[in-house]
Amino acid sequence: TGKTLLVETIAKHIDRPFISIDSSQLSSPGYVGKKIEQYLWDLFVKCGYDLDAAEHAIIYFDEIDKKGSERKSDIAGQGVLNQLLKFIDGATYIAAKNPQLVTDATSVPICTKNMLVISGGAFSEIYETKEKNPVGFGKEPAKAREPEIKDFIEKAMISKEFMGRHPVIIHLNKLTTDSLKRILTSSDKSPIKDQEKKFAKKGVKFTVTPDYIDAVAHRAIERKIGARGLNKIIKDTTWKPFGIVSCQRGEYEEVILDKDVLEDYQQFQLIKRRGIN
């Protein structure tokens, strides 16, 4: 699971509206980019035009690490972080489908005071810093120190004021091949399950071998593309057999993929229906 899906799942569990905001798309007032007011309008619509529900939503600012900057005058970076301070503290915005064209039918005042605001990002400059193990017999390897708020300020260049409004820091573990394999075999979001449904609509059983799952997980780790990248790897190996069973409908009953298909997209098995030569 990813950060966004994790927060979204929690929001569903506690029955709170949820919206994820891509911070990299945010811009300061007067500059090109999506505005907070537009995201709040999207939230209002998602809540079925229920203002009270919208004002008690969980807001997740994703990719917030992209806004770190040494320059306080950086409009796309620190400028956006400064703009979000009043959002976190609680302010009233005129949520609108088009902030440049506000009408009674396409706008509504929304207060953020009772919203739960969570921010997230990769913060690779902090979490990918490796400490060297001491040399010598009998010495324990150095344990990785959990980052503190000052690390986000000094290394990620996130403003002190912004970090001061995020007192709790949660560090998610890196995905491993085992965790990716569990996603592929057990998760409701598994791209393999998506393919099973897709082929089933064509009357074809979709089967993958254990070594296929291993190979897909290892490739995702090698490419450093995480769980989101699993979908592309699997689509790359399934588009050709899917095209065949779609064009020759009723001829095949099963498609089987093993690890070889990752090296050569032609290496898949198609099992014909009984009675068809």
Side-chain angles (χ1 to χ4, degrees):
T1 183
K3 299 182 294 297
T4 304
L5 183 57
L6 178 62
V7 180
E8 184 178 12
T9 302
I10 292 171
K12 286 181 180 177
H13 184 68
I14 62 176
D15 195 24
R16 291 276 290 274
F18 167 83
I19 189 170
S20 175
I21 296 177
D22 184 350
S23 303
S24 64
Q25 293 184 14
L26 289 175
S27 65
S28 296
Y31 291 82
V32 175
K34 195 163 183 178
K35 306 295 185 289
I36 282 292
E37 290 81 359
Q38 290 171 281
Y39 280 108
L40 289 176
W41 176 261
D42 293 343
L43 172 65
F44 181 57
V45 173
K46 186 177 181 180
C47 291
Y49 302 94
D50 184 333
L51 181 59
D52 184 65
E55 291 187 333
H56 287 82
I58 295 177
I59 311 296
Y60 177 62
F61 288 104
D62 196 13
E63 306 288 350
I64 205 70
D65 54 311
K66 305 297 191 297
K67 294 301 179 182
S69 174
E70 291 180 309
R71 296 183 294 114
K72 292 185 177 181
S73 59
D74 183 355
I75 298 299
Q78 294 289 0
V80 171
L81 293 181
N82 292 336
Q83 178 193 355
L84 294 180
L85 296 181
K86 68 172 186 176
F87 185 102
I88 299 170
D89 288 339
T92 299
Y93 293 81
I94 302 300
K97 186 175 183 179
N98 183 353
Q100 278 71 48
L101 187 63
V102 175
T103 66
D104 291 341
T106 59
S107 66
V108 63
I110 294 182
C111 180
T112 65
K113 182 179 179 181
N114 294 314
M115 293 180 179
L116 173 61
V117 179
I118 302 172
S119 302
F123 291 103
S124 56
E125 60 276 273
I126 294 176
Y127 288 111
E128 289 184 4
T129 300
K130 296 179 181 178
E131 297 185 20
K132 293 183 179 180
N133 289 337
V135 178
F137 294 102
K139 292 186 178 180
E140 293 291 331
K143 291 184 178 180
R145 180 180 65 85
E146 280 297 311
E148 300 173 358
I149 287 180
K150 67 176 183 179
D151 295 310
F152 290 86
I153 297 170
E154 296 171 2
K155 297 179 181 179
M157 304 299 171
I158 303 296
S159 70
K160 183 188 300 183
E161 293 78 13
F162 190 84
M163 287 307 304
R165 288 164 172 80
H166 292 79
V168 179
I169 299 173
I170 299 173
H171 178 193
L172 300 182
N173 294 329
K174 282 187 176 182
L175 289 170
T176 64
T177 52
D178 284 341
S179 54
L180 289 176
K181 284 161 62 177
R182 287 200 301 274
I183 290 171
L184 289 170
T185 57
S186 305
S187 172
D188 291 337
K189 302 289 184 179
S190 168
I192 289 179
K193 293 184 179 181
D194 288 340
Q195 292 296 326
E196 288 175 350
K197 295 174 184 176
K198 189 176 176 182
F199 277 87
K201 289 180 180 179
K202 304 295 182 182
V204 178
K205 182 181 179 183
F206 178 71
T207 302
V208 297
T209 62
D211 63 3
Y212 172 86
I213 293 173
D214 286 341
V216 170
H218 278 96
R219 178 158 294 189
I221 292 293
E222 289 170 1
R223 293 182 178 179
K224 298 181 179 180
I225 52 179
R228 190 177 285 113
L230 294 173
N231 194 46
K232 182 181 185 309
I233 295 174
I234 288 174
K235 279 186 176 180
D236 286 344
T237 63
T238 57
W239 68 269
K240 191 168 185 63
F242 185 77
I244 293 174
V245 300
S246 297
C247 293
Q248 302 175 43
R249 195 157 187 175
E251 186 170 343
Y252 299 100
E253 66 177 10
E254 185 177 8
V255 58
I256 303 174
L257 304 183
D258 61 21
K259 66 180 180 61
D260 292 337
V261 76
L262 273 80
E263 302 302 327
D264 181 356
Y265 296 156
Q266 305 282 350
Q267 296 298 315
F268 52 84
Q269 298 180 59
L270 285 173
I271 310 299
K272 287 191 174 184
R273 295 189 183 280
R274 293 180 182 178
I276 297 179
N277 295 323

